Amino acid sequence: MKHQLSFATITLLSDCIAEVVVNKDVEISLEMVEEYEAFLADKFSNAFGLLVNKIHHYHFSFEAKLSINSHENLKAIAVVNYNEESELVTKDIAAIRAIDGWNLKSFSGLDLGWQQGFDWLKKELSAING
């Protein structure tokens, strides 16, 4: 089931996994993060994972980097990158948020990364949810 936010499309792939596709050329602001976090809080009351499919080019404000993916029930994040620049942004945000101890793994979209990421999320969440 697809849901359109002001800056992204979120598709619920299962009862505990959502795919996030940010619109092209967006700069994600703190307000957008708040909209996103409110949506996730509404849809997931238990452990869940995100498949971030970075098919479009977009940026984050510094404040957004500090606050995105702060939901307490978020247990795993799979990021599908399609180029080196996208991979570097993923690593930058993960480094900024290292103290949060995210369970994050990157996959190459040029190398069946979407399916690998989805399979990894299912495995990670099954270990948590039993």
Side-chain angles (χ1 to χ4, degrees):
M1 182 173 219
K2 288 188 182 226
H3 301 272
Q4 188 64 50
L5 302 184
S6 67
F7 66 98
T9 302
I10 299 180
T11 305
L12 301 179
L13 301 174
S14 74
D15 61 346
C16 63
I17 298 174
E19 177 187 28
V20 180
V21 178
V22 175
N23 299 341
K24 188 175 182 180
D25 296 329
V26 168
E27 178 164 2
I28 298 175
S29 66
L30 186 57
E31 292 77 20
M32 291 172 179
V33 170
E34 290 169 355
E35 175 190 4
Y36 167 76
E37 297 288 341
F39 174 85
L40 295 176
D42 182 58
K43 296 296 177 193
F44 298 108
S45 56
N46 296 313
F48 70 98
L50 294 174
L51 179 64
V52 180
N53 193 357
K54 295 176 75 173
I55 59 176
H56 299 299
H57 184 263
Y58 56 91
H59 300 280
F60 291 87
S61 71
F62 184 70
E63 295 80 12
K65 287 180 184 180
L66 294 177
S67 61
I68 197 153
N69 295 330
S70 296
H71 196 286
E72 65 182 307
N73 290 331
L74 177 57
K75 302 302 182 189
I77 307 168
V79 181
V80 182
N81 295 292
Y82 293 87
N83 58 52
E84 192 174 325
E85 180 185 354
S86 177
E87 177 71 26
L88 290 173
V89 170
T90 300
K91 287 180 180 177
D92 176 55
I93 295 172
I96 289 171
R97 300 294 297 279
I99 195 167
D100 296 307
W102 281 351
N103 181 12
L104 182 143
K105 189 168 180 178
S106 287
F107 299 88
S108 170
L110 305 176
D111 204 16
L112 301 177
W114 191 97
Q115 189 62 54
Q116 293 170 354
F118 184 66
D119 292 344
W120 177 79
L121 284 171
K122 289 192 295 189
K123 182 172 80 58
E124 293 295 304
L125 292 166
S126 70
I128 293 166
N129 294 331

